Amino acid sequence: MLLRIEGLLSADKLAEARALLARAPWVDGRVTAGHQSAQVKDNLQIPEGCAEHRALGDLVLGALERNPLFISAVLPQRVFPPLFNRYEGGMAFGAHVDNAIRQITGTASRIRTDVSCTLFLSEPESYEGGELLIEHSYGAERVKLPAGDAVIYPATSLHRVAPVTSGARLASFFWVQSMVRDAGQRALLFDLDMAINRARADLPSGHASPTELTAVYHNLLRRWADA
């Protein structure tokens, strides 16, 4: 499932993020790339563990926890601490697939990368190029969103970042291990959750259908989830 999450960061939180980005140090982005990805990756990243990285990560994680659309679509069990990158001067990231398992830096903990997420932090008119291109069965989806918006997509997808030919593209990226491993099951649960919300809005208060559908949702989640 490929899904846009509008306004993941509010205007206030986006301003706070930009202030942190402006004073953060930047290093070669290949420090977090696997062997294959490192051959096609050309960008900058904020080093993990610095004060700005920790503050930015907390800001993004707080926004995720408050966003019901993200929770419904992803059903997160664990979120990899968000990373932050910068593309400028022709930098790009060639076609690649994200590593299936990622170790959280400085710990023995690992997560399975079921879902990838990119949170855009630069306004699209401030840079040329830099589209996120995600391959799926109907071709390549080109994604270039307003600052504060995010896109979630299967971590199994072949994807790339087009060269940034002017300006600078700043973003956060991270992965999620879902309680429901199977992408098809997650998509069904998401569709059912959205249908329940519409039924609650459209039907008279006290109507039995939303409650009955909610029971189906939770019984499916109970069957499929690894909590």
Side-chain angles (χ1 to χ4, degrees):
M1 175 171 48
L2 192 154
L3 180 69
R4 174 180 175 179
I5 301 177
E6 297 184 26
L8 178 62
L9 286 188
S10 66
D12 289 347
K13 293 298 183 183
L14 185 58
E16 185 179 342
R18 284 175 170 162
L20 289 163
L21 290 165
R23 64 174 185 260
W26 295 91
V27 298
D28 189 327
R30 283 172 288 191
V31 295
T32 58
H35 174 72
Q36 192 68 33
S37 295
Q39 300 177 53
V40 294
K41 186 177 186 179
D42 180 19
N43 65 11
L44 301 173
Q45 285 182 205
I46 297 175
E48 295 177 75
C50 73
E52 292 83 4
H53 175 263
R54 291 193 298 270
L56 283 161
D58 289 344
L59 189 152
V60 173
L61 291 173
L64 295 175
E65 291 171 358
R66 296 188 296 270
N67 192 280
L69 185 60
F70 173 81
I71 300 297
S72 177
V74 177
L75 295 169
Q77 184 179 64
R78 302 182 70 191
V79 178
F80 190 90
L83 301 171
F84 300 86
N85 59 21
R86 180 186 184 101
Y87 292 82
E88 58 190 0
M91 290 178 174
F93 198 163
H96 64 286
V97 173
D98 294 329
N99 290 350
I101 305 294
R102 294 198 67 101
Q103 185 161 338
I104 298 174
T105 303
T107 76
S109 299
R110 297 180 177 88
I111 76 163
R112 185 184 66 242
T113 58
D114 297 320
V115 179
S116 297
C117 182
T118 297
L119 167 62
F120 290 79
L121 299 171
S122 298
E123 294 297 351
E125 63 272 15
S126 70
Y127 61 98
E128 296 292 333
E131 296 88 354
L132 173 64
L133 293 101
I134 304 166
E135 299 284 349
H136 54 70
S137 55
Y138 298 103
E141 186 86 16
R142 302 177 71 89
V143 183
K144 187 174 181 178
L145 301 179
D149 287 8
V151 61
I152 60 172
Y153 53 99
T156 54
S157 301
L158 190 69
H159 57 282
R160 61 189 174 93
V161 176
V164 173
T165 55
S166 69
R169 174 197 190 268
L170 288 88
S172 175
F173 64 103
F174 52 90
W175 303 272
V176 183
Q177 179 172 318
S178 176
M179 291 186 290
V180 177
R181 179 194 297 253
D182 184 84
Q185 292 172 344
R186 281 199 311 275
L188 287 171
L189 287 166
F190 176 70
D191 289 344
L192 180 55
D193 193 23
M194 295 299 101
I196 291 168
N197 290 338
R198 290 191 294 271
R200 286 198 181 107
D202 295 343
L203 294 173
S205 178
H207 197 286
S209 293
T211 301
E212 293 167 351
L213 288 170
T214 300
V216 173
Y217 175 91
H218 282 286
N219 286 330
L220 286 173
L221 183 59
R222 186 176 290 110
R223 178 183 291 266
W224 291 338
D226 297 315

